[in-house]
Amino acid sequence: MKRTITQEETEQLFKFCREQNIVHYDLQVELVDHLASAIEEQWEKWPELSFEFALKRAFKKFGHNGFRRIYESRKKELNKKYTRLHFKYFYSFFRWPQILITFILSYLIFSTIILTENFRVVYTIFFAFTIPAMAYFYLFWFPKKGKLEAKNNTKFLLLEVLNMRCKQFWMVLFLPLNILNFFVLDKSSEGGWEGLSFDDFKMRLFIFGLSFLMVCFGILSYSYSIYASQKIKQHFTEQFPEFVK
């Protein structure tokens, strides 16, 4: 009769993973599956081996700091997965009909700069928009729609990635302001950018390109922090419904 891992031995494998400082349940499940398969492969050849001895042999295959490398690798894979998803959403704004929204927003920024002939006005508008947006995100959206805690305070690598993306929202949101900051603080000769003619075609073309870039960063911040976060929550709920509060 083929020897297989029992429920009690499975619990011992979970305990073993925790002893190796693997605190994330989703990663524990993956490692327990690998260890169980490796042990059962040994039992096919040597069924008389004890569980403890077979476990030691299976663990040796991971090498020095093997579990830590798997943790880093899995975390990188998850980040890549959701980065691909958020860029897929981002690129959808360059297809019809979303591209119309992209160009309308770009034209509004462009028109504001041309009418005022001053980058500082747009900078002030963006700054006035950014602060309330951050306050809304961290005080209302994230606690109610972005934040997710598992039952019994169980740790998940997937939720760690979720929290990291939400915490980095402010960094992405400030990118347009950093671009504008270059023009606002420019103090080169002859008045810097303020000394240039806003009626010049090349200057207008450049300003529209700048406006388009700022809109792109705005969409990027939304797709990175909000859209991707919602996808992570959806996938977590599908994979681990028993842990959803």
Side-chain angles (χ1 to χ4, degrees):
M1 183 178 178
K2 184 179 178 180
R3 189 177 175 186
T4 58
I5 294 290
T6 65
Q7 182 61 38
E8 182 182 350
E9 288 167 341
T10 299
E11 293 300 325
Q12 290 182 51
L13 291 177
F14 274 102
K15 181 182 178 182
F16 178 79
C17 288
R18 290 192 292 270
E19 289 172 350
Q20 302 301 318
N21 296 319
I22 301 299
V23 297
H24 301 94
Y25 181 76
D26 43 354
L27 188 55
Q28 289 175 9
V29 170
E30 186 177 331
L31 289 172
V32 165
D33 184 60
H34 283 306
L35 289 170
S37 297
I39 292 171
E40 289 177 351
E41 284 177 8
Q42 294 180 64
W43 282 344
E44 287 181 4
K45 297 179 180 179
W46 307 286
E48 72 282 358
L49 289 181
S50 67
F51 170 78
E52 292 75 13
F53 184 77
L55 173 57
K56 288 180 180 179
R57 290 189 62 179
F59 181 59
K60 280 183 179 180
K61 291 182 179 180
F62 288 92
H64 183 63
N65 291 329
F67 278 9
R68 183 66 189 178
R69 286 198 300 271
I70 290 176
Y71 163 77
E72 296 292 346
S73 175
R74 185 61 179 145
K75 186 176 181 180
K76 189 180 293 184
E77 286 175 10
L78 285 173
N79 276 316
K80 285 183 178 179
K81 175 183 177 179
Y82 291 103
T83 296
R84 286 194 296 268
L85 277 177
H86 103 77
F87 270 116
K88 184 178 180 181
Y89 179 81
F90 172 73
Y91 292 142
S92 71
F93 278 83
F94 301 94
R95 296 194 295 267
W96 185 264
Q98 292 95 321
I99 194 170
L100 188 61
I101 299 172
T102 305
F103 275 103
I104 289 174
L105 292 174
S106 301
Y107 183 75
L108 288 174
I109 298 173
F110 166 80
S111 299
T112 304
I113 297 175
I114 293 298
L115 288 173
T116 60
E117 296 189 355
N118 196 326
F119 288 104
R120 285 185 175 84
V121 173
V122 181
Y123 180 88
T124 303
I125 293 172
F126 256 79
F127 187 79
F129 165 79
T130 300
I131 299 304
M134 286 181 60
Y136 173 79
F137 180 84
Y138 286 112
L139 296 178
F140 298 99
W141 188 89
F142 178 62
K144 293 182 179 180
K145 296 184 178 181
K147 192 175 182 179
L148 183 61
E149 294 180 355
K151 289 181 179 178
N152 304 321
N153 295 319
T154 307
K155 292 185 178 181
F156 285 83
L157 189 56
L158 195 56
L159 296 186
E160 185 176 299
V161 173
L162 169 66
N163 291 328
M164 180 196 69
R165 284 184 171 267
C166 289
K167 288 177 181 178
Q168 291 175 344
F169 174 71
W170 69 272
M171 295 173 62
V172 187
L173 193 64
F174 267 97
L175 283 174
L177 284 173
N178 290 333
I179 294 173
L180 273 175
N181 205 39
F182 172 77
F183 300 97
V184 172
L185 300 178
D186 182 31
K187 299 298 181 182
S188 60
S189 60
E190 298 182 2
W193 290 98
E194 294 179 355
L196 298 176
S197 173
F198 283 78
D199 294 326
D200 183 75
F201 174 76
K202 290 183 178 180
M203 183 62 174
R204 286 182 173 236
L205 190 64
F206 172 78
I207 292 173
F208 185 82
L210 172 67
S211 304
F212 181 76
L213 187 62
M214 291 174 64
V215 171
C216 289
F217 275 125
I219 299 171
L220 196 65
S221 64
Y222 178 87
S223 66
Y224 179 87
S225 298
I226 297 179
Y227 176 77
S229 296
Q230 290 174 334
K231 282 296 180 182
I232 294 174
K233 285 188 67 176
Q234 177 190 332
H235 294 165
F236 179 83
T237 303
E238 293 171 354
Q239 293 176 39
F240 305 101
E242 68 275 17
F243 284 95
V244 178
K245 283 186 176 181

